[in-house]
Structure formats: structure tokens, C-alpha cells
Amino acid sequence: MAVDLDVEELLIMGDSDLIIRQAQGEWETRDIKLIPYRQHVEDLSKWFKSVEFRYIPRFHNDLANALATLATRLPYPGNVHIDLLEIQIRERHGYCNTVEIELDV
């Protein structure tokens, strides 16, 4: 999607230190199943002026999890313009609880 949108600078954040370091080329990819993915990352990286991989500890990645969940729910329409998504981070969490009660008649 980033290639289709002509993105020039890309920041990729992940909560797997192993995968991030492999993508950065700091560590070797030894798992035979992951080598094609590593090569694909290298090939895709050539489309951008700069690509940064950043490790985010799992306990700090609530926003990443929310965005990943949102991304799986939205269909990607191909070469159609997608409006920017504005995200507000609140000081406090919002909760919604639903309780179903069966009346004993």
C-alpha cells in the first residue's frame, strides 16, 4: 500500500526484537521459512528514500495493536486515495460494559 501511495519515507514499528533486528540487517535470518520474507523486505525497501525499523516493547504497543486490528477490518481499494486517519490519544481509557439480565418472572 505504501508503494502504491508513493510514500517516500517509511517507519515500520514492531514488537518482535528478533524480526526488527533481522529487518535492519543487524542479525542474520537463519530460519529457512523466514528467509524469503527477509528478501521481500529488502526488495520492497528499495522503493523508498528511507525505511526505518523501530522496536516497540509489547507493553507499549497498544496503539499498534489497535491500528493492526483496524487495518484488518478495512478493505484496501487498490489505487484509490485513502483519506488520512486522525487518531486522538486520551489521558484515560474509555470502557463500555454491557450486562444482560434475565428477569425471573
Side-chain angles (χ1 to χ4, degrees):
M1 182 190 287
V3 171
D4 291 343
L5 293 172
D6 295 322
V7 171
E8 294 181 357
E9 297 178 358
L10 190 62
L11 170 61
I12 299 170
M13 297 184 285
D15 60 12
S16 170
D17 192 37
L18 173 67
I19 299 296
I20 293 296
R21 289 182 183 257
Q22 289 174 344
Q24 291 171 328
E26 294 178 22
W27 291 355
E28 182 181 342
T29 305
R30 293 185 182 170
D31 186 336
I32 194 80
K33 295 177 284 185
L34 294 179
I35 291 173
Y37 293 104
R38 169 70 179 118
Q39 184 60 51
H40 190 63
V41 168
E42 285 181 18
D43 295 342
L44 284 174
S45 294
K46 295 174 185 172
W47 286 88
F48 305 98
K49 283 185 179 179
S50 71
V51 177
E52 179 185 344
F53 297 92
R54 187 178 300 165
Y55 169 69
I56 305 294
R58 288 179 195 253
F59 57 87
H60 289 296
N61 74 347
D62 289 341
L63 180 58
N65 286 336
L67 290 173
T69 300
L70 181 60
T72 62
R73 306 274 190 258
L74 299 174
Y76 175 56
N79 290 330
V80 176
H81 174 75
I82 298 174
D83 291 328
L84 292 176
L85 180 63
E86 183 177 327
I87 299 172
Q88 296 178 358
I89 299 175
R90 305 279 180 172
E91 294 288 326
R92 295 182 294 168
H93 293 286
Y95 296 96
C96 178
N97 295 317
T98 304
V99 178
E100 292 184 26
I101 300 173
E102 290 186 25
L103 297 175
D104 186 14
V105 180

